[in-house]
Amino acid sequence: MTKSNPGHYFEDFKPGMELVHATPLTVSAGDISLYRALTGARHALYSAETFAAANGFPALPVDPLLAFHVVFGKTVPDISLNAVANLGYADGQFLKDVYPGDTLTAISEVIGIKENSNGKTGVVWVRTRGENQKGETVLSYVRWVMVNKKDPSSPALDPVVPDLPDAVHASALTVPAYDDWDDALAGSKWRYGDYEIGEKIDHVDGMTVEEAEHQIATRLYQNTAKVHFDAHAQKESRFGKRLIYGGVVISIARALSFNGLESAAQMLAINAGTHAGPLFSGDTIYAWSEVLDKATLNDTTGALRLRLVAAKNHPCTDFPLRGEDGKYAGNVILDFDYWAAIPI
Amino acid sequence: MTKSNPGHYFEDFKPGMELVHATPLTVSAGDISLYRALTGARHALYSAETFAAANGFPALPVDPLLAFHVVFGKTVPDISLNAVANLGYADGQFLKDVYPGDTLTAISEVIGIKENSNGKTGVVWVRTRGENQKGETVLSYVRWVMVNKKDPSSPALDPVVPDLPDAVHASALTVPAYDDWDDALAGSKWRYGDYEIGEKIDHVDGMTVEEAEHQIATRLYQNTAKVHFDAHAQKESRFGKRLIYGGVVISIARALSFNGLESAAQMLAINAGTHAGPLFSGDTIYAWSEVLDKATLNDTTGALRLRLVAAKNHPCTDFPLRGEDGKYAGNVILDFDYWAAIPI
Amino acid sequence: MTKSNPGHYFEDFKPGMELVHATPLTVSAGDISLYRALTGARHALYSAETFAAANGFPALPVDPLLAFHVVFGKTVPDISLNAVANLGYADGQFLKDVYPGDTLTAISEVIGIKENSNGKTGVVWVRTRGENQKGETVLSYVRWVMVNKKDPSSPALDPVVPDLPDAVHASALTVPAYDDWDDALAGSKWRYGDYEIGEKIDHVDGMTVEEAEHQIATRLYQNTAKVHFDAHAQKESRFGKRLIYGGVVISIARALSFNGLESAAQMLAINAGTHAGPLFSGDTIYAWSEVLDKATLNDTTGALRLRLVAAKNHPCTDFPLRGEDGKYAGNVILDFDYWAAIPI
């Protein structure tokens, strides 16, 4: 009997089951530097202690997406080692700011299972939370994955399909208070009132991703999914090469969106997300955004609900999304729906 | 009207105009680690807290070139997004040490403009300063760039050409006091008195640069110039591929110069600098130095004025610089003139 | 006369000679982040402050292999710049934990020399120790290298061959006390009693290494060996390309060994190590381990003596080691023998 981790198969997941994932991580200033250097992130709120302090933060906070990837990464050995596909995200909430020195532990609860009609795979829904060293939940999200069965002949439990919101309601958002937002330092004069529902923004810049970059980023998060790292084994795979972790795409697209959404710095919630296509080393990511909704949170702060779309090797001047058949256009790799705070 | 940054064109720059650049950055121990890992820097003064403390520094300082690149990086979206060429540097002074936890803000003043005779471009001179969170200027330099006009038919302002020094005068250098310099830990027995004006040093080692490395470094500094990152767009450019940020060349050449200039650890001023040719991924940087001048600063410390020359794919045993036509030799990529402190 | 470092030749080494190596390094949280991001290390003990604190550590410690590489890196300019081969390691002991903020200085003593019969090279044995800022030895090891003679006609000193142990004796190991080891957070229920002498574990996962990754890692340690960095010069070498630093192989193989040895987190000693073959960019590392010995250290903690074998481009399901001729199998690149602590 081997001591190396075989991962969980579809039959192993039971509704209500809780998994405490290995390797809590103390996030540090080093992680902040690496996140910036690997993604190009440049929001003042997550770059400058002075800017953060002027807006109610006791120290320089960690970018919410960095915290998200760290928590997500921990779940891979238990949830998706035998996954066929990462199907979606829902109800992602950033509840507490994370600071260097905080230790994040990831815990998942199985909230749904449904065997596929082919009897070979099934869908598993988990709610994952990241806890800090005080036991506070700093973030929480649902994702669902398609997982192989170990034994196709094993009987399936009754399906349980969770009821998930299309989007986090604005009233549920954690509300920051921006006391002293400096437009020049933030990089834009555009604030809450300047963005209109339906408005589309081409983020213009492109970012090419190299094998070393995505591997370094994915290991930073301690995400161990083999498809990102093992070129030898991937030669026999469908694509014949390493796949880039979808979180790398999310973070780079989000960093590109600085150009046009400079002051929408703080991600408050992840409503939904689809990895519409694979990204490989050498590909160039472009991105555009659409304002889906707006909400006033308090006197100083509003929120924009944003669709962030990334395409590869295709500048986004034409806002690519879906073809006439309703399917994602060939170059679209990400369709991501989130709330971000923005000063009023 | 787009919200993404179109950058400034030649017509947008007026003498006296001040630009506060976006995204101040809190420099951290993580940045120090990355700078070392990306450049090969190994001066004891910027590596070991104990060594720094023995020589009058209250903590481990940040390499002056790291601070320089951070400040420079911030200026790109406002100064050189539509630049055709980065023409030169002058009067660069390192005025205050930078430590982890310091937040650097970049501010530029336009000090000169001159339209080119073709009517399509013009030269813009800016003095950029980096300020820390106390409002102290930690470094200051002039650079000039050739920038496109938005509209070739727009009338030009009267030219203003600043009067710039060939070199920072030794009497203007910020003077450290090296109380307890340890030759063994510094890596060399050679001190101020051992270097002669006119002496040339081949730094021997070569460093090959990969796409991932220069991209990670350039993002570390939050420098967003497209030519460094967008391989897809660069396919249509003059060189057909990504160009490496000149600051990467400066830092790697400087790190190579450790071998022969070990104790000239602290850069005090940048007198001039020319990026004589482009560097691409896969190229190998070699470097040599010439002692241009010397100055005694105080009882413990002198300064060497050094020319640092970098060449690509060409070891510097023959000290390459200019051809018989007076132009830079084909493999020369950097001609950089600076002052460094060295113990007496 | 050149001021750049020519390195030491065989004739320069005399038994009893002490070399204080250049560039002490203050290890930081940034180094911890980079080490994780470059190797995939994910032991809870070196990732989470909370986990370390629960097991008797006053802060998050630095992975012993990171400290080892830092100390090793410093020795390269003095010991192995003119080395032909790195022949072996012995008697490596991790004596004190290293924490961010500690400054490591490397000092070597020549403990053996023996000229080879060809008269052109000789073997040099050195004992290197890493000292922290309090002058405490945090680690110590012996390595021996084959070094070129400067002048083949120069007479050799009498040979001195040190008497080295096959392995560090268990009674000499520094003993941690694991007060509150959490199996779920550590990632495994397997503890001291679950491992048997002779047991072999395939670590399953593979990790492909890129040029940028090994260069960044090797510079992180300030290891300057030219063969890792200078692609231009390496074109004329035996392999025609850059060689990856053996320490990169050790650390990645060790990180892969998490999968099956999750709780054997703390390396206590290096008994021996052979770099059985070269690794190049694009190669994929796989690893397996064998339990060579066991020892109870105290009530809470035991030690496993482990052989860690790495192979390239060859999954380790068949536990590759030696061929019928007794030589290392073609794909084997590392045979490493160490002690690791594990909770009882």
Side-chain angles (χ1 to χ4, degrees):
Chain A
M1 177 186 183
T2 181
K3 288 195 172 67
S4 52
N5 176 24
H8 291 107
Y9 289 88
F10 179 70
E11 302 94 312
D12 298 319
F13 295 100
K14 324 269 181 214
M17 181 179 175
E18 187 177 84
L19 297 124
V20 177
H21 305 295
T23 315
L25 183 76
T26 303
V27 180
S28 77
D31 300 328
I32 290 179
S33 295
L34 268 163
Y35 187 77
R36 188 174 86 236
L38 292 164
T39 65
R42 53 195 172 108
H43 289 111
L45 191 60
Y46 300 104
S47 297
E49 195 170 86
T50 48
F51 193 97
N55 288 288
F57 294 80
L60 184 68
V62 169
D63 192 301
L65 279 178
L66 168 52
F68 174 80
H69 296 319
V70 165
V71 171
F72 184 100
K74 309 309 180 190
T75 71
V76 167
D78 295 320
I79 305 294
S80 44
L81 208 66
N82 300 308
V84 184
N86 196 21
L87 297 173
Y89 309 98
D91 201 23
Q93 298 190 46
F94 296 100
L95 300 164
K96 286 262 176 192
D97 299 312
V98 177
Y99 296 97
D102 282 354
T103 300
L104 301 182
T105 303
I107 303 141
S108 296
E109 186 189 352
V110 179
I111 61 168
I113 56 163
K114 186 179 174 206
E115 186 171 302
N116 287 325
S117 54
N118 63 14
K120 295 181 183 165
T121 57
V123 178
V124 177
W125 286 260
V126 293
R127 172 169 288 285
T128 298
R129 67 182 190 272
E131 283 187 3
N132 67 17
Q133 68 282 4
K134 299 174 201 162
E136 299 166 334
T137 297
V138 300
L139 65 88
S140 166
Y141 65 93
V142 173
R143 75 160 164 146
W144 56 107
V145 289
M146 194 186 300
V147 184
N148 281 317
K149 287 183 73 175
K150 193 168 191 176
D151 174 6
S153 70
S154 65
L157 296 180
D158 288 339
V160 176
V161 177
D163 187 26
L164 296 171
D166 287 340
V168 176
H169 196 274
S171 65
L173 299 175
T174 300
V175 182
Y178 297 143
D179 305 318
D180 190 14
W181 193 271
D182 183 312
D183 288 341
L185 298 180
S188 174
K189 62 182 176 182
W190 312 111
R191 292 182 168 215
Y192 181 73
D194 301 306
Y195 291 90
E196 287 177 29
I197 294 173
E199 181 175 354
K200 292 179 179 178
I201 301 160
D202 172 16
H203 301 305
V204 180
D205 307 304
M207 184 66 72
T208 306
V209 183
E210 302 294 324
E211 299 283 14
E213 292 171 328
H214 75 83
Q215 293 197 149
I216 293 172
T218 308
R219 284 186 300 242
L220 180 69
Y221 314 134
Q222 298 180 312
N223 179 326
T224 61
K226 299 166 207 268
V227 293
H228 310 315
F229 298 115
D230 185 341
H232 183 77
Q234 287 300 107
K235 275 191 289 192
E236 309 304 317
S237 72
R238 176 178 160 206
F239 296 111
K241 51 189 169 178
R242 282 165 279 179
L243 277 173
I244 294 177
Y245 164 46
V248 167
V249 177
I250 296 173
S251 281
I252 290 179
R254 171 76 173 137
L256 291 171
S257 80
F258 178 88
N259 194 352
L261 283 167
E262 291 84 348
S263 286
Q266 186 175 355
M267 191 176 286
L268 298 178
I270 296 173
N271 297 314
T274 301
H275 296 290
L279 188 78
F280 304 107
S281 171
D283 286 341
T284 301
I285 303 177
Y286 297 89
W288 64 274
S289 294
E290 180 181 356
V291 180
L292 296 178
D293 200 358
K294 295 180 64 172
T296 306
L297 300 180
N298 63 23
D299 285 355
T300 67
T301 313
L304 300 179
R305 183 176 166 194
L306 296 160
R307 156 176 274 166
L308 172 63
V309 178
K312 65 179 177 187
N313 307 323
H314 180 94
C316 289
T317 42
D318 61 349
F319 306 109
L321 186 60
R322 293 180 184 275
E324 292 184 4
D325 58 1
K327 293 185 182 166
Y328 283 110
N331 285 316
V332 171
I333 54 175
L334 177 73
D335 184 8
F336 191 76
D337 178 340
Y338 69 104
W339 283 104
I342 186 165
I344 286 176
Chain B
M1 178 186 184
T2 182
K3 288 195 171 66
S4 52
N5 176 24
H8 291 107
Y9 289 87
F10 179 71
E11 301 94 313
D12 298 320
F13 295 100
K14 324 269 181 213
M17 182 180 174
E18 187 177 85
L19 297 124
V20 177
H21 304 295
T23 315
L25 184 75
T26 303
V27 180
S28 77
D31 300 328
I32 290 179
S33 294
L34 267 163
Y35 187 77
R36 187 174 87 237
L38 291 164
T39 65
R42 54 194 172 108
H43 289 111
L45 191 59
Y46 299 104
S47 297
E49 196 170 86
T50 48
F51 193 96
N55 289 287
F57 294 80
L60 184 67
V62 170
D63 192 299
L65 278 178
L66 168 52
F68 174 80
H69 297 318
V70 165
V71 171
F72 184 100
K74 308 308 179 190
T75 71
V76 168
D78 295 320
I79 305 295
S80 44
L81 208 65
N82 300 308
V84 184
N86 196 20
L87 297 173
Y89 308 97
D91 201 23
Q93 299 189 45
F94 296 101
L95 301 163
K96 286 262 176 191
D97 300 312
V98 177
Y99 296 97
D102 282 353
T103 300
L104 301 182
T105 302
I107 302 142
S108 296
E109 187 189 352
V110 179
I111 62 169
I113 56 163
K114 187 178 173 208
E115 186 171 300
N116 286 325
S117 54
N118 63 14
K120 295 180 185 165
T121 57
V123 178
V124 177
W125 285 260
V126 293
R127 174 170 286 286
T128 297
R129 67 182 190 273
E131 283 188 3
N132 66 18
Q133 67 283 2
K134 299 175 202 162
E136 299 165 335
T137 298
V138 301
L139 65 90
S140 167
Y141 65 92
V142 173
R143 76 161 163 144
W144 55 107
V145 290
M146 193 185 303
V147 183
N148 280 318
K149 287 184 74 175
K150 193 169 191 176
D151 173 6
S153 70
S154 65
L157 298 179
D158 288 340
V160 176
V161 177
D163 188 26
L164 296 170
D166 287 340
V168 176
H169 195 274
S171 65
L173 299 175
T174 301
V175 181
Y178 298 143
D179 305 317
D180 189 14
W181 193 272
D182 183 312
D183 288 341
L185 297 180
S188 174
K189 64 182 176 182
W190 312 112
R191 290 181 170 216
Y192 181 75
D194 301 306
Y195 291 90
E196 287 177 30
I197 294 173
E199 181 175 354
K200 292 179 179 178
I201 301 160
D202 172 14
H203 302 305
V204 180
D205 308 303
M207 183 67 72
T208 306
V209 183
E210 302 295 323
E211 299 284 15
E213 293 171 328
H214 76 83
Q215 293 197 149
I216 293 172
T218 307
R219 284 185 299 242
L220 180 70
Y221 314 135
Q222 298 180 312
N223 180 326
T224 61
K226 298 165 207 267
V227 293
H228 310 316
F229 298 115
D230 185 340
H232 183 76
Q234 287 300 108
K235 276 191 288 192
E236 310 304 317
S237 72
R238 177 178 160 207
F239 296 112
K241 51 189 169 178
R242 281 164 281 179
L243 278 172
I244 294 178
Y245 164 47
V248 167
V249 176
I250 295 172
S251 282
I252 290 179
R254 171 76 173 136
L256 291 171
S257 80
F258 179 88
N259 194 351
L261 282 167
E262 290 84 347
S263 286
Q266 187 176 356
M267 191 175 285
L268 298 177
I270 296 173
N271 298 314
T274 301
H275 296 291
L279 188 77
F280 304 106
S281 171
D283 286 342
T284 301
I285 303 176
Y286 297 90
W288 64 274
S289 294
E290 179 181 357
V291 181
L292 297 178
D293 201 357
K294 296 180 65 173
T296 307
L297 299 181
N298 62 24
D299 285 355
T300 67
T301 315
L304 301 179
R305 183 175 166 195
L306 295 160
R307 157 175 274 164
L308 172 63
V309 178
K312 65 179 177 187
N313 308 322
H314 180 95
C316 288
T317 42
D318 62 350
F319 306 109
L321 187 60
R322 293 181 185 274
E324 292 185 4
D325 58 2
K327 294 185 182 165
Y328 284 111
N331 286 316
V332 170
I333 54 174
L334 177 73
D335 183 9
F336 191 76
D337 177 341
Y338 69 103
W339 283 104
I342 186 166
I344 285 176
Chain C
M1 176 186 185
T2 182
K3 288 194 172 67
S4 52
N5 175 24
H8 291 107
Y9 289 87
F10 179 70
E11 301 94 313
D12 298 320
F13 295 98
K14 323 269 181 213
M17 181 181 175
E18 188 178 83
L19 297 126
V20 177
H21 304 295
T23 315
L25 184 75
T26 304
V27 180
S28 77
D31 300 328
I32 290 179
S33 294
L34 268 162
Y35 187 77
R36 187 175 87 236
L38 291 164
T39 65
R42 52 194 172 109
H43 289 111
L45 191 61
Y46 299 104
S47 297
E49 196 171 85
T50 47
F51 193 96
N55 290 287
F57 294 79
L60 184 68
V62 170
D63 192 301
L65 278 178
L66 168 52
F68 174 79
H69 296 319
V70 165
V71 170
F72 184 100
K74 309 307 181 190
T75 70
V76 167
D78 295 321
I79 305 295
S80 44
L81 208 66
N82 301 308
V84 184
N86 196 21
L87 299 172
Y89 309 97
D91 200 23
Q93 299 189 44
F94 296 100
L95 300 163
K96 286 262 176 192
D97 299 312
V98 177
Y99 296 96
D102 282 353
T103 300
L104 301 182
T105 303
I107 303 142
S108 296
E109 187 189 351
V110 179
I111 60 169
I113 55 163
K114 186 178 175 207
E115 186 171 302
N116 287 325
S117 53
N118 63 14
K120 295 181 184 165
T121 57
V123 178
V124 177
W125 286 260
V126 294
R127 173 170 287 286
T128 297
R129 67 182 190 272
E131 283 187 2
N132 66 18
Q133 68 282 4
K134 298 174 201 162
E136 299 166 334
T137 297
V138 300
L139 65 89
S140 167
Y141 65 92
V142 173
R143 75 161 164 145
W144 54 108
V145 289
M146 193 185 301
V147 184
N148 281 317
K149 288 184 73 175
K150 194 168 191 177
D151 174 4
S153 70
S154 64
L157 297 179
D158 287 339
V160 176
V161 176
D163 188 25
L164 296 170
D166 288 340
V168 176
H169 196 274
S171 65
L173 298 175
T174 301
V175 181
Y178 297 143
D179 304 318
D180 189 14
W181 193 270
D182 183 312
D183 288 340
L185 298 180
S188 175
K189 63 182 176 182
W190 312 113
R191 291 182 169 215
Y192 181 73
D194 301 306
Y195 291 89
E196 288 177 29
I197 295 174
E199 181 176 354
K200 292 178 178 179
I201 301 161
D202 172 15
H203 301 304
V204 180
D205 307 304
M207 184 66 73
T208 306
V209 183
E210 302 295 323
E211 298 284 14
E213 292 171 329
H214 76 83
Q215 293 197 149
I216 293 171
T218 308
R219 285 186 299 242
L220 180 70
Y221 315 135
Q222 298 180 312
N223 179 325
T224 62
K226 297 165 208 268
V227 292
H228 311 314
F229 298 115
D230 185 341
H232 183 77
Q234 288 300 108
K235 276 190 290 191
E236 309 304 317
S237 72
R238 176 178 160 207
F239 296 111
K241 51 190 169 177
R242 283 164 279 180
L243 276 173
I244 294 177
Y245 164 47
V248 167
V249 177
I250 295 172
S251 281
I252 290 178
R254 171 76 173 137
L256 291 171
S257 80
F258 179 88
N259 195 351
L261 282 166
E262 290 84 348
S263 286
Q266 187 176 355
M267 191 176 284
L268 298 177
I270 296 172
N271 297 315
T274 300
H275 296 291
L279 188 78
F280 304 106
S281 172
D283 285 342
T284 301
I285 303 177
Y286 296 89
W288 64 275
S289 294
E290 180 181 357
V291 181
L292 296 178
D293 201 358
K294 296 179 66 173
T296 305
L297 299 181
N298 62 23
D299 285 354
T300 67
T301 314
L304 301 180
R305 183 176 166 195
L306 295 160
R307 157 176 273 165
L308 173 63
V309 178
K312 65 179 177 187
N313 308 323
H314 180 94
C316 288
T317 42
D318 62 349
F319 307 109
L321 187 59
R322 292 180 185 275
E324 292 184 4
D325 58 2
K327 293 185 181 165
Y328 283 110
N331 286 316
V332 171
I333 54 175
L334 178 73
D335 183 8
F336 191 75
D337 178 342
Y338 69 103
W339 283 104
I342 186 165
I344 285 176

